[in-house]
Amino acid sequence: FTTYAPFGPRAGRGRGALPWESGGTAPGVTLAQGGGFSTDEQNNIQVYQAASPAVVNVTTVTLTYDFFLNPVPVEAGAGSGFIIDENGDIVTNFHVISGARRVLVTLADRSQHQAKVVGADPRSDLAVLRINTGRKLPFLRMGDSQKLQVGQKVLAIGNPFGQFQNTLTTGVVSSVGRNVREPRSGLILEDVIQTDAAINPGNSGGPLLGSHGLVVGINTIIVGPTNLGIGFAIPVNRIKLIVGDLLREGRVLRPYLGVRTLPLSRGLAEVLELPVNEGLLVLTVETGSPSSKAGLRGGSESV
């Protein structure tokens, strides 16, 4: 992932490692001893103190109409997010900001800022926002979800029920590689992290952290109306790929063929007098698609 180009529209940021890439422990997490707390308590305190300044509340505003059909802005929902560079880029869930006319971000210091949607991807349920505060902001670094183990401690920070800013809950990785359906869009999110760290409505978009303060996932889905000990987070390795595209292109670049095919059976091959017994029969080719540019043609097209 370090081969990604700079963030794109910003001039002068240079090439090289992105600010939120992993690198040992997050700034401020020293795992020190002392203070009369157990080792685990010290770790919880230190991770929270280091990470919470970079966790934000995300509030959306939509329009409704009064009796006289005048537009009236109303607060539509609330979620969470986290800052990924000092300039104010923020990662959250797509469903947190979907349908919003305005997006407002509240920082840990309670200051509120209007956010611009840099890019959003419904398929992965991820979005990137940007705020301009005129100052450098604390940000989180991302770890490696490929190394996650069931039983490993994780910490979630977010805005449950849209009321309790920067709430910390802890738990473990309950499972990895789960496939779950996103209830709003119906899309299947593949290979997500299951955790028993308490996650409630409003936690969506907040970070799931490892014991070294690095982001390992983004809290996204719960089972049931409130937390039942079953929450799911999108793994950070996928976030890195999606966020890189959204920052650079404003959309996610996905490879595709642009063809509609039919599995070729032996019987069909004999009827069509084809020289092969198996494969895919190309029925149609989308105009301007990679397959079209490569010279593929549908079965009814002239050569």
Side-chain angles (χ1 to χ4, degrees):
F1 188 69
T2 55
T3 58
Y4 268 127
F7 286 158
R10 294 199 186 118
R13 297 188 65 169
R15 303 185 65 87
L18 300 178
W20 34 265
E21 287 190 315
S22 60
T25 63
V29 179
T30 60
L31 308 184
Q33 300 292 320
F37 300 107
S38 70
T39 301
D40 190 54
E41 288 173 328
Q42 291 172 51
N43 180 245
N44 294 341
I45 293 168
Q46 291 161 352
V47 169
Y48 179 77
Q49 290 177 345
S52 62
V55 180
V56 304
N57 295 352
V58 180
T59 306
T60 57
V61 177
T62 60
L63 291 180
T64 188
Y65 295 90
D66 62 17
F67 181 78
F68 301 101
L69 299 182
N70 296 312
V72 179
V74 295
E75 185 174 310
S80 306
F82 57 95
I83 305 169
I84 60 169
D85 64 39
E86 63 185 14
N87 298 290
D89 288 323
I90 295 166
V91 174
T92 187
N93 283 131
F94 169 79
H95 74 256
V96 170
I97 54 97
S98 178
R101 292 294 187 94
R102 293 174 60 206
V103 180
L104 301 175
V105 167
T106 304
L107 300 180
D109 63 6
R110 306 290 178 173
S111 62
Q112 193 172 73
H113 308 269
Q114 185 159 330
K116 172 187 175 182
V117 179
V118 175
D121 183 48
R123 183 169 167 182
S124 64
D125 197 18
L126 292 172
V128 176
L129 311 175
R130 181 173 297 156
I131 59 174
N132 182 12
T133 64
R135 58 187 172 91
K136 294 182 178 180
L137 296 174
F139 61 92
L140 298 183
R141 299 184 186 275
M142 300 194 190
D144 183 359
S145 52
Q146 188 67 32
K147 297 179 180 179
L148 284 178
Q149 299 292 321
V150 174
Q152 175 180 336
K153 186 177 83 168
V154 286
L155 306 91
I157 304 178
N159 179 33
F161 303 107
Q163 301 179 54
F164 306 106
Q165 184 174 4
N166 280 29
T167 294
L168 171 71
T169 57
T170 65
V172 298
V173 174
S174 302
S175 185
V176 294
R178 296 291 198 197
N179 295 337
V180 294
R181 186 179 299 276
E182 210 288 321
R184 303 158 193 85
S185 66
L187 295 174
I188 299 296
L189 296 178
E190 299 180 348
D191 196 31
V192 297
I193 304 161
Q194 181 181 334
T195 179
D196 69 346
I199 297 172
N200 289 287
N203 276 103
S204 290
L208 188 69
L209 303 157
S211 59
H212 287 80
L214 301 175
V215 178
V216 297
I218 183 171
N219 302 314
T220 300
I221 300 175
I222 60 173
V223 172
T226 56
N227 180 68
L228 300 175
I230 303 178
F232 298 94
I234 299 170
V236 73
N237 287 8
R238 187 178 311 153
I239 297 170
K240 292 177 185 179
L241 296 173
I242 299 297
V243 167
D245 275 355
L246 292 178
L247 284 169
R248 198 169 50 253
E249 304 288 342
R251 62 188 179 93
V252 177
L253 305 179
R254 290 187 172 93
Y256 79 107
L257 292 175
V259 298
R260 188 165 65 91
T261 62
L262 178 71
L264 185 64
S265 64
R266 182 182 296 272
L268 181 58
E270 291 177 354
V271 170
L272 297 177
E273 298 181 349
L274 297 176
V276 294
N277 295 324
E278 60 183 1
L280 291 174
L281 182 65
V282 177
L283 300 179
T284 59
V285 178
E286 181 182 332
T287 301
S289 68
S291 294
S292 176
K293 294 177 181 178
L296 289 181
R297 297 291 181 265
S300 61
E301 296 182 45
S302 59
V303 179

